[in-house]
């Protein structure tokens, strides 16, 4: 058999790398010393877990795929990474799947990987552990085409002997796996948004959508999981603040199951290596009925959020 396409090998490796990342996230928390550093103020934090996980993910992928462009959230000095942080495995189930033909001849150097080592850091420091995810997004031609989301604390309320954590992955044209796709009942408008980065504009935008309920949780990864599991109908964030590493993996998985993630204007996000990191024009995402929400974004919000 011909060797698997580079994209599938990368996704299979990133799956294993994300599981190692989750183990690091749990280990740092269990150790009790989070080593918190403020980046741009008290709502923009970095912990020892963010640092170690980024080193682990970026070094592991770079060793195996030296021609990739890898962009991680954390600004870290470059030094030799401890061998203990390197993950060499690959998830065999992914290698058994056929690469969608449009991606089968992609070269390693054409791929851009966006890494959020720990999404929902603020919530992690506050003990809201089920909000936390590890995000590895893969882009080609500026488009998010594959993604891995690991939830290190999935199942943590199930008791001491429950297996902690799960990994959701997806590739455009192939689908998304590791969870059960579910939709919110027809006609119900459940809006999910930020918990720790709210503003008047964020709330005004949600108010204009006639929500039946508003769910406020941390993390872009966590919010998109709520969309694909039928726990929320729209992710609405009418504010700058979210970055490309927050949206790349969630967008790819959402798009792989027929959903849509854009800025607040309904414009696609771009993930080529030169792109600005900030999603200045906010985020709007749904599994179904995108147009209902897009059509209700107030003009004042659109004017205030320039891409
Ligand atoms: P949230 O929905 O607040 O959890 O935000 C989703 C992602 O965007 C997280 O990685 C946040 O750190 C990031 N984010 C959103 N707003 C801001 C902000 N005002 N400053 C820094 N990071 C932000
Ligand atoms: Mg994040
Ligand atoms: Mg992060």
């Amino acid at each position: 058999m011909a060797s698997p396409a580079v994209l599938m090998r990368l996704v299979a490796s990133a799956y294993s790398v994300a599981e190692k990342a989750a183990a690091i996230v749990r280990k740092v928390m269990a150790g009790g010393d989070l080593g918190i550093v403020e980046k741009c103020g008290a709502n923009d934090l970095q912990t020892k877990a963010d640092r170690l996980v980024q080193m682990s993910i970026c070094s592991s992928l770079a060793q195996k795929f030296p021609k990739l462009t890898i962009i991680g959230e954390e600004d870290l000095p470059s030094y030799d990474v401890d061998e203990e942080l390197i993950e060499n495995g690959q998830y065999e189930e992914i290698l058994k799947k056929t690469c969608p033909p449009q991606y089968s001849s992609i070269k390693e150097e054409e791929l851009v990987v966006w890494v959020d080592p720990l999404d929902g850091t603020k919530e992690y420091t506050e003990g809201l552990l089920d909000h936390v995810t590890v995000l590895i997004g893969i882009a080609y031609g500026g488009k998010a085409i594959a993604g891995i989301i690991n939830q290190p604390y999935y199942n943590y309320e199930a008791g001491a002997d429950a297996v902690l954590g799960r990994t959701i992955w997806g590739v455009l044209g192939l689908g998304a796996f590791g969870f059960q796709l579910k939709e919110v009942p027809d006609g119900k408008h459940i809006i999910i948004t930020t918990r720790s980065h709210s503003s008047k504009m964020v709330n005004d935008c949600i108010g204009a959508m006639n929500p039946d309920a508003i769910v406020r949780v941390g993390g872009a990864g966590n919010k998109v999981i709520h969309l694909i599991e039928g726990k929320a109908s729209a992710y609405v964030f009418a504010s700058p603040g979210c970055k490309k590493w927050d949206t790349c993996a969630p967008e790819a998985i959402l798009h792989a199951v027929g959903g849509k993630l854009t800025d607040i204007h309904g414009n696609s996000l771009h993930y080529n290596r030169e792109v600005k990191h900030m999603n200045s024009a906010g985020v709007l995402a749904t599994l179904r009925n995108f147009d209902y929400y897009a059509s209700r974004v107030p003009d004042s919000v659109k004017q205030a959020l320039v891409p």
Side-chain angles (χ1 to χ4, degrees):
M1 205 177 104
S3 80
V6 173
L7 177 65
M8 299 310 287
R9 287 200 293 114
L10 176 58
V11 174
S13 291
Y15 184 105
S16 297
V17 165
E19 298 222 303
K20 166 91 167 188
I24 299 170
V25 169
R26 290 186 293 257
K27 190 172 173 192
V28 169
M29 179 56 74
D33 175 16
L34 296 187
I36 299 170
V37 173
E38 287 187 11
K39 294 195 284 186
C40 302
N43 282 330
D44 196 8
L45 305 178
Q46 183 196 69
T47 70
K48 188 174 160 189
D50 300 70
R51 295 186 287 275
L52 290 177
V53 168
Q54 173 154 320
M55 287 189 259
S56 172
I57 294 176
C58 296
S59 306
S60 301
L61 293 179
Q63 272 191 12
K64 228 176 201 174
F65 304 93
K67 293 181 193 155
L68 281 181
T69 299
I70 306 175
I71 304 171
E73 171 173 6
E74 310 306 336
D75 198 6
L76 299 174
S78 59
Y79 44 79
D80 286 338
V81 167
D82 196 331
E83 234 355 86
E84 260 181 41
L85 292 174
I86 301 295
E87 170 61 50
N88 269 316
Q90 46 186 3
Y91 185 47
E92 295 297 328
E93 290 303 307
I94 296 178
L95 295 174
K96 286 183 199 155
K97 306 239 185 211
T98 305
C99 185
Q102 64 272 33
Y103 304 136
S104 62
S105 50
I106 293 180
K107 298 192 190 75
E108 195 176 306
E109 56 269 35
E110 294 173 319
L111 290 166
V112 181
V113 181
W114 293 90
V115 177
D116 188 341
L118 201 165
D119 181 45
T121 299
K122 177 85 176 159
E123 284 71 24
Y124 180 67
T125 65
E126 294 175 14
L128 296 167
L129 300 178
D130 54 336
H131 297 212
V132 168
T133 60
V134 174
L135 304 175
I136 305 177
I138 300 168
Y140 166 68
K143 202 165 144 183
I145 62 162
I148 292 93
I149 304 180
N150 184 292
Q151 288 176 292
Y153 294 96
Y154 176 75
N155 232 359
Y156 91 126
E157 279 164 335
D161 31 313
V163 180
L164 267 190
R166 71 168 163 175
T167 308
I168 293 171
W169 67 279
V171 176
L172 269 193
L174 188 63
F177 308 88
F179 69 102
Q180 197 68 48
L181 187 70
K182 208 175 153 202
E183 292 181 25
V184 170
D186 261 354
K188 266 231 172 254
H189 303 301
I190 304 171
I191 301 212
I192 192 158
T193 192
T194 183
R195 174 186 161 270
S196 60
H197 300 103
S198 210
S199 67
K200 182 174 181 309
M201 192 158 60
V202 166
N203 291 321
D204 287 350
C205 187
I206 293 169
M209 294 170 172
N210 285 325
D212 295 302
I214 304 174
V215 182
R216 297 180 191 274
V217 297
N222 182 34
K223 284 191 262 296
V224 169
I225 291 174
H226 278 69
L227 297 181
I228 61 179
E229 294 199 308
K231 293 177 182 154
S233 355
Y235 171 10
V236 181
F237 186 55
S239 166
C242 214
K243 324 288 188 314
K244 292 294 176 306
W245 43 77
D246 291 304
T247 47
C248 187
E251 175 178 329
I253 288 171
L254 184 62
H255 285 195
V257 293
K260 189 165 171 177
L261 185 150
T262 68
D263 71 11
I264 209 78
H265 304 269
N267 295 323
S268 309
L269 300 179
H270 300 286
Y271 296 95
N272 40 299
R273 78 194 75 189
E274 304 83 7
V275 84
K276 183 176 70 163
H277 295 164
M278 181 71 81
N279 292 321
S280 309
V283 178
L284 179 62
T286 68
L287 176 61
R288 305 284 180 253
N289 302 323
F290 182 87
D291 293 347
Y292 170 87
Y293 299 94
S295 68
R296 278 160 182 78
V297 175
D299 285 339
S300 58
V301 168
K302 288 187 181 167
Q303 278 152 21
L305 292 175
V306 182

